[in-house]
Amino acid sequence: MEYRWPKTMTGQEPKLLFGGDYNPDQWPEDIWEEDVRLMKKAKVNVVTVAVFAWANLEPEDGVYTFEWLDRVLDKLYEGGIAVDLATATATPPRWLTSAHPEILPRNKQGEVLWPGSRQQWRPTSEVFRRYALRLAEKMAERYKNHPALVSWHVSNELGCHNRFDYSDDAALGFQKWLKKRYGTLEALNDSWNGAFWSQKVTDWSQIIPPRESMCGCNPTTLLDFKRFSSDALLEYYEAEAELLHRITPDVPVTTNLMIIENQTNPVDCFKWGRHLDFVSNDHYYLPDERHLDEMTMSAAITDGVADKNPWFLMENSTSSVNWRPINLRKQPGEIIRDALVHVANGADAVCFFQWRQSRAGAEKFHSSLLPHAGEDSRLFREVCELGNALTALKPVLKSRVEQAKIAMVYDYDSWWSWENGLLTQLFDYRAEFYHWYRAALDAGVAADVVRKEDAWESYETVMFPVTILADAEISEKARHYVEQGGQLIVTYGSGIMDSREHVYLGGYPGAFRELLGVRVEEFVAIDENDKIELDNGWSGQMWADDITGVSEDCEVVSRILPSASDRALRGQAIVTRRSYGKGSAWYIGTKLDRSSAEQLFRERILKTDAVPDGKEAHLLSGEVARGENTPLRIRRVKDGQCFEFIFNRCAEQAVEVPVAGHPLYLLMAEAGEDRVVLEPSGAAVYLCGQ
Ligand code: GLA
Ligand code: GLA
């Protein structure tokens, strides 16, 4: 899909976009005027309209009431506010589910998921699709020439609630998908190892979704079902997008992905990214010490999904959400700081759920741009300041995030495989990925995020963290990369199985064993209260590979000390580096603790400890800012210009950072001649030469 950004409304200049979901039909019409006045005051320039408005647009089968939406769009246009128009198909109205209960999804137990909340539809239902496409078509026909329309927003967070459907429609869809993937039942039975527990399939019709069974389902079936479910939603997306492209060829189409830390990974975002005209994401901060680092990681993943094209932050929150067990609010300045984190990582649009805080309904206590307290509130004043900040940052528009020193491979297939918990339940894929991403941040580098099938050979260093699945093509790609001079890092839990989840025999990690020059015979889980000490002062936790063979041309970087409680591990190599061709291949056989992982990056892999004199960042106490206090620096570049975004990662102290160029925007920061001092939650954006 060719990359296309939302249009600019006639008579307007392109800008960084700023706004949020706008649900005017959930309010009396007499406040719409006030909405537009306050949007203008805050410099809001785009809103997403009609996401959940199906019931108000088609109150009865085939009866349409678009007049109110006409008035909303006209008012917004008069106010200079662009519209990212939803197709309104996210939630079917009650008349539809009553008339056609066969569109309702079924859970693992086969029970119906009833209406009462939202997104109660089967991704594979032909009946649902017929009704939804009919509405999308009416919307497109009605608004195709509306001057406020700048982009289309298909459905909403596809798969957020209806990722898995176990209905008979899903069974038929799954059978069709498997036929396409495997071609023959023989290939299917081979992949699923049908002989195991007598599960051999002799007719496609015997295949059902992984419904509740006696003691857990075949893992490859589960993995294929996740792939199928992602593809079924994508096929649905494509059906809407095709229709919109046909009727409005010049209006780009998107849908909001969910690259966010909350165990939600419904679709393979890397695959989806290639099907959207521009990538959009929804992200909600973690209300704990991971807030900034996790947000930058999610934003970096989104930038990878967008292939470094500018992307659209479709939702984030001005303060607390309403759906966590404890909803901690943001600190002063963090609305802006967080927006800058996304912009630093490639967002050219920063939007929020939602414009006006609801008065009633499920999300009435979720923060918004305009809170219950109204215009005269600290929060709305900060929202207005964000409007100013994004205006000041206009020069950043259309620049791209500079290629990082290291790329980390993010693999939905491996994530989905880890979820089966067959090797260990110690690991949460995203938490492991975060551990290594943060180690690079601690060493002063914000990594790029790539998928293993794409081109990552131009990076100096590429890391495979816990990438449990790797096919022969990936092994060969990795070998070639190292041969040509690349630095490859592979961690524990990587390259153990192929994409059918068949284990490579002869010693782990089969996909990379020869390249790395190590052979692992067994895995050793480490008790959570225990750790292994290494001979170079590092330590490891949770996991150790029983590395029984190391090739002669391998450098043993760390060995396990005799204090290890697992006796067979004592004295064994656990971190190794092998020179191969013009490059090198590292193996990390344990989860190094935070400071050891930082040292590995800082001293050996990224060599960021070699800063010239006086170029280090210092805390106000004078101490060099290292580890969790290392400032975050990300650069966006275009046409010989470079924009450097700098953030203080230290929760309690100010940090003084060397800078070049001149400041474009300062948030809780003071600029000196060649240094900037950032308060906790502070940030600065500098314009500097490339
Ligand atoms: C039981 C079953 C075996 C095998 C083992 C695994 O004993 O009979 O088939 O599943 O558990 O521990
Ligand atoms: C999701 C949805 C929104 C809203 C927010 C609340 O992102 O898309 O409609 O429910 O969550 O955080």
Side-chain angles (χ1 to χ4, degrees):
M1 192 65 69
E2 189 200 339
Y3 166 75
R4 290 192 295 155
W5 188 246
K7 298 194 313 177
T8 303
M9 281 202 307
T10 322
Q12 290 205 358
E13 295 273 290
K15 341 178 155 111
L16 289 174
L17 298 175
F18 169 44
D21 280 20
Y22 181 38
N23 297 304
D25 56 316
Q26 296 171 16
W27 290 91
E29 190 160 342
D30 57 13
I31 67 163
W32 298 355
E33 205 67 58
E34 175 81 344
D35 283 332
V36 174
R37 178 184 75 78
L38 290 172
M39 285 176 193
K40 283 163 75 176
K41 182 172 178 181
K43 300 199 167 70
V44 160
N45 52 31
V46 68
V47 287
T48 298
V49 184
V51 173
F52 294 107
W54 191 339
N56 277 334
L57 291 169
E58 189 184 0
E60 288 174 48
D61 193 346
V63 176
Y64 299 94
T65 48
F66 286 118
E67 297 72 20
W68 67 265
L69 187 55
D70 299 348
R71 292 196 294 281
V72 169
L73 263 54
D74 292 350
K75 239 185 229 315
L76 289 165
Y77 178 67
E78 281 159 28
I81 296 156
V83 173
D84 167 59
L85 188 58
T87 52
T89 54
T91 296
R94 297 291 280 255
W95 61 257
L96 178 51
T97 47
S98 291
H100 290 286
E102 73 275 21
I103 71 170
L104 294 168
R106 286 183 185 258
N107 67 12
K108 239 179 148 174
Q109 287 75 25
E111 298 154 347
V112 172
L113 293 161
W114 297 100
S117 57
R118 58 175 168 176
Q119 273 137 328
Q120 64 279 2
W121 52 276
R122 299 178 185 180
T124 52
S125 164
E126 289 301 328
V127 179
F128 175 78
R129 190 171 298 195
R130 201 168 64 235
Y131 278 92
L133 293 188
R134 186 176 74 175
L135 176 65
E137 185 163 7
K138 294 270 178 210
M139 294 283 281
E141 288 294 351
R142 187 155 188 113
Y143 298 109
K144 63 182 174 193
N145 296 319
H146 199 286
L149 172 68
V150 296
S151 56
W152 286 110
H153 180 119
V154 167
S155 194
N156 192 58
E157 292 189 337
L158 282 157
C160 181
H161 303 288
N162 61 351
R163 174 188 183 191
F164 292 136
D165 163 40
Y166 299 84
S167 68
D168 290 343
D169 278 335
L172 290 174
F174 193 31
Q175 291 161 15
K176 205 170 126 201
W177 184 92
L178 290 165
K179 259 187 218 166
K180 203 167 152 207
R181 182 175 179 85
Y182 293 110
T184 65
L185 283 173
E186 200 187 356
L188 173 97
N189 282 315
D190 185 34
S191 174
W192 290 8
N193 193 9
F196 193 86
W197 288 354
S198 216
Q199 291 303 305
K200 197 168 167 189
V201 174
T202 53
D203 191 280
W204 294 100
S205 65
Q206 295 159 6
I207 297 167
I208 53 168
R211 294 174 180 150
E212 191 70 30
S213 60
M214 300 305 284
C215 71
C217 181
N218 179 301
T220 309
T221 310
L222 278 179
L223 181 58
D224 276 342
F225 189 63
K226 290 174 187 174
R227 291 170 174 148
F228 154 74
S229 299
S230 173
D231 284 355
L233 286 157
L234 181 58
E235 200 186 304
Y236 173 80
Y237 169 82
E238 298 249 84
E240 279 207 29
E242 254 173 56
L243 177 156
L244 298 167
H245 283 142
R246 176 168 50 79
I247 302 172
T248 55
D250 61 333
V251 183
V253 183
T254 195
T255 190
N256 39 350
L257 303 172
M258 284 163 285
I259 298 168
I260 167 181
E261 169 69 62
N262 66 350
Q263 275 80 54
T264 306
N265 58 348
V267 302
D268 179 343
C269 292
F270 272 102
K271 184 169 185 182
W272 279 57
R274 306 299 184 260
H275 292 258
L276 310 178
D277 292 338
F278 61 95
V279 165
S280 312
N281 192 46
D282 292 354
H283 185 271
Y284 289 91
Y285 69 101
L286 280 174
D288 59 33
E289 56 82 25
R290 294 169 295 174
H291 184 145
L292 176 59
D293 290 352
E294 191 286 324
M295 179 175 281
T296 202
M297 180 179 109
S298 284
I301 298 169
T302 311
D303 195 51
V305 165
D307 210 12
K308 285 202 179 288
N309 288 309
W311 49 273
F312 199 119
L313 179 66
M314 193 63 84
E315 293 180 23
N316 80 126
S317 64
T318 55
S319 196
S320 67
V321 296
N322 65 317
W323 41 261
R324 297 191 194 279
I326 301 174
N327 297 305
L328 297 179
R329 69 172 179 170
K330 283 192 181 178
Q331 292 305 298
E334 288 184 349
I335 297 178
I336 301 169
R337 193 276 312 264
D338 290 357
L340 296 181
V341 170
H342 291 286
V343 175
N345 282 287
D348 269 3
V350 176
C351 290
F352 292 78
F353 177 80
Q354 61 178 327
W355 162 249
R356 184 183 278 276
Q357 188 168 14
S358 306
R359 184 173 200 176
E363 297 185 313
K364 57 184 170 233
F365 295 118
H366 190 294
S367 61
S368 66
L369 289 161
L370 181 62
H372 287 154
E375 180 181 1
D376 180 15
S377 59
R378 182 186 66 82
L379 196 143
F380 189 69
R381 281 188 285 277
E382 199 168 308
V383 164
C384 293
E385 181 45 32
L386 173 57
N388 292 331
L390 293 171
T391 307
L393 291 179
K394 190 180 153 197
V396 170
L397 195 69
K398 293 197 167 78
S399 58
R400 286 164 160 245
V401 180
E402 188 178 59
Q403 178 161 325
K405 282 180 132 183
I406 178 170
M408 292 193 183
V409 167
Y410 195 71
D411 184 35
Y412 279 85
D413 255 11
S414 289
W415 186 356
W416 290 340
S417 174
W418 277 111
E419 281 174 341
N420 288 342
L422 291 184
L423 175 54
T424 175
Q425 292 182 15
L426 278 172
F427 293 145
D428 164 343
Y429 175 80
R430 213 177 193 272
E432 293 309 298
F433 190 89
Y434 175 71
H435 180 79
W436 291 102
Y437 190 88
R438 188 185 54 178
L441 291 181
D442 285 351
V445 173
D448 280 351
V449 182
V450 295
R451 78 165 171 176
K452 64 185 185 206
E453 294 83 2
D454 286 345
W456 36 257
E457 292 88 338
S458 65
Y459 284 88
E460 283 169 35
T461 302
V462 173
M463 182 173 202
F464 280 71
V466 291
T467 315
I468 195 163
L469 305 184
D471 276 336
E473 300 87 80
I474 303 298
S475 314
E476 175 49 26
K477 197 166 153 166
R479 193 200 61 75
H480 188 253
Y481 167 71
V482 178
E483 191 179 57
Q484 296 303 308
Q487 177 170 228
L488 182 82
I489 314 162
V490 177
T491 75
Y492 54 92
S494 296
I496 294 167
M497 299 183 280
D498 65 16
S499 59
R500 300 176 311 163
E501 289 203 311
H502 288 205
V503 174
Y504 291 106
L505 303 181
Y508 315 115
F512 303 114
R513 193 175 62 222
E514 282 185 29
L515 175 61
L516 299 166
V518 296
R519 180 165 178 268
V520 176
E521 280 186 41
E522 286 178 42
F523 307 118
V524 182
I526 299 175
D527 186 87
E528 59 181 355
N529 302 315
D530 198 5
K531 58 179 178 180
I532 50 168
E533 305 284 359
L534 311 184
D535 63 351
N536 60 345
W538 297 351
S539 63
Q541 51 196 328
M542 283 168 82
W543 192 258
D545 285 324
D546 185 11
I547 302 180
T548 53
V550 178
S551 68
E552 276 179 8
D553 52 359
C554 259
E555 172 197 354
V556 175
V557 177
S558 327
R559 277 188 194 281
I560 299 171
L561 285 179
S563 53
S565 38
D566 187 286
R567 291 193 290 278
L569 282 180
R570 295 173 183 174
Q572 281 192 0
I574 196 73
V575 179
T576 60
R577 177 180 171 279
R578 177 170 179 239
S579 295
Y580 176 81
K582 296 184 198 145
S584 56
W586 290 78
Y587 189 61
I588 303 169
T590 184
K591 181 174 181 176
L592 293 175
D593 71 15
R594 183 171 182 175
S595 76
S596 308
E598 181 201 343
Q599 282 177 50
L600 170 75
F601 277 137
R602 196 182 273 283
E603 293 164 17
R604 296 293 313 263
I605 290 176
L606 302 170
K607 312 231 170 60
T608 44
D609 58 339
V611 269
D613 278 356
K615 291 283 184 204
E616 278 173 326
H618 287 84
L619 296 174
L620 277 201
S621 59
E623 190 190 327
V624 175
R626 282 278 161 99
E628 62 185 16
N629 297 328
T630 308
L632 165 64
R633 308 178 75 143
I634 302 174
R635 290 151 68 113
R636 282 182 66 163
V637 289
K638 72 168 175 193
D639 314 328
Q641 280 185 315
C642 162
F643 305 92
E644 177 153 31
F645 291 72
I646 311 165
F647 300 90
N648 184 358
R649 289 173 67 234
C650 174
E652 297 299 336
Q653 285 195 61
V655 64
E656 192 185 29
V657 188
V659 279
H662 72 268
L664 267 184
Y665 188 76
L666 296 169
L667 173 73
M668 296 186 288
E670 214 180 292
E673 202 174 309
D674 58 356
R675 313 218 129 214
V676 62
V677 176
L678 308 171
E679 299 298 321
S681 308
V685 186
Y686 272 70
L687 173 62
C688 40
Q690 224 175 331

